[in-house]
Every structure is written in C-alpha cells, then in structure tokens.
Amino acid sequence: QEVGDVTVTVDTLTRAGAVVSGEATFSDGKKAAWYLDQYGRLGIAPEEQGYKPSQADLMIFEGELRNQLAKQGF
C-alpha cells in the first residue's frame, strides 16, 4: 500500500443497528470498521483501541466512502 492510500469496502452483511457498514484500511495499514446509522451519522471503530487516522487519511476516507456508497445506491 502506498502512503496516502486508503481503501474502503462495504459489507455484504450490514452490522446490527447500521444502515450500511464496512471496513477501511488507512495509509499506515491500520484497519477500522465504519458504519452509518439510520440518522446518517458515521461511526468509526478502529481495530486498535485509541487509534486515530491522520486528517489527510480521513479526508481520503470520506471521499472513498462517498464513491462506494454511490455505487451501492445510497
């Protein structure tokens, strides 16, 4: 994975309580689950407790997430 490379996937089976969910891998290789609730709020649950992706990674993540959700028809 290149520096600044963020990948976003959408789960085929959505997490309980979420409208849509998936996983993100940030540029440092760390992973986090993400989900949107019925109110459109985004939650991120990193595998490593206390992990916070960089601001640059979050911006890329949000763009990738929008692309993936558009493909899914959201």
Side-chain angles (χ1 to χ4, degrees), residues 12-23:
T12 46
L13 288 173
T14 304
R15 287 169 62 128
V19 176
V20 62
S21 62
E23 188 177 86

Side-chain angles (χ1 to χ4, degrees), residues 2-5 10 13 18-19 21 23-26 31 33-34 38-42 52 59 66 68-69 72 74:
E2 298 166 34
V3 175
D5 190 22
V10 177
L13 288 173
V19 176
S21 62
E23 188 177 86
T25 305
F26 296 100
K31 295 180 188 257
W34 62 264
Q38 64 198 32
Y39 304 107
R41 292 181 298 212
L42 175 64
K52 290 208 181 343
M59 290 179 74
R66 272 195 286 279
Q68 291 295 332
L69 291 179
Q72 303 284 329
F74 284 95

Side-chain angles (χ1 to χ4, degrees), residues 7-63:
T7 57
V8 177
T9 59
V10 177
D11 293 336
T12 46
L13 288 173
T14 304
R15 287 169 62 128
V19 176
V20 62
S21 62
E23 188 177 86
T25 305
F26 296 100
S27 62
D28 56 9
K30 305 237 191 249
K31 295 180 188 257
W34 62 264
Y35 56 90
L36 281 175
D37 70 13
Q38 64 198 32
Y39 304 107
R41 292 181 298 212
L42 175 64
I44 299 177
E47 282 182 353
E48 186 181 301
Q49 199 170 359
Y51 170 72
K52 290 208 181 343
S54 69
Q55 201 58 44
D57 271 13
L58 281 175
M59 290 179 74
I60 297 166
F61 165 74
E62 287 176 8

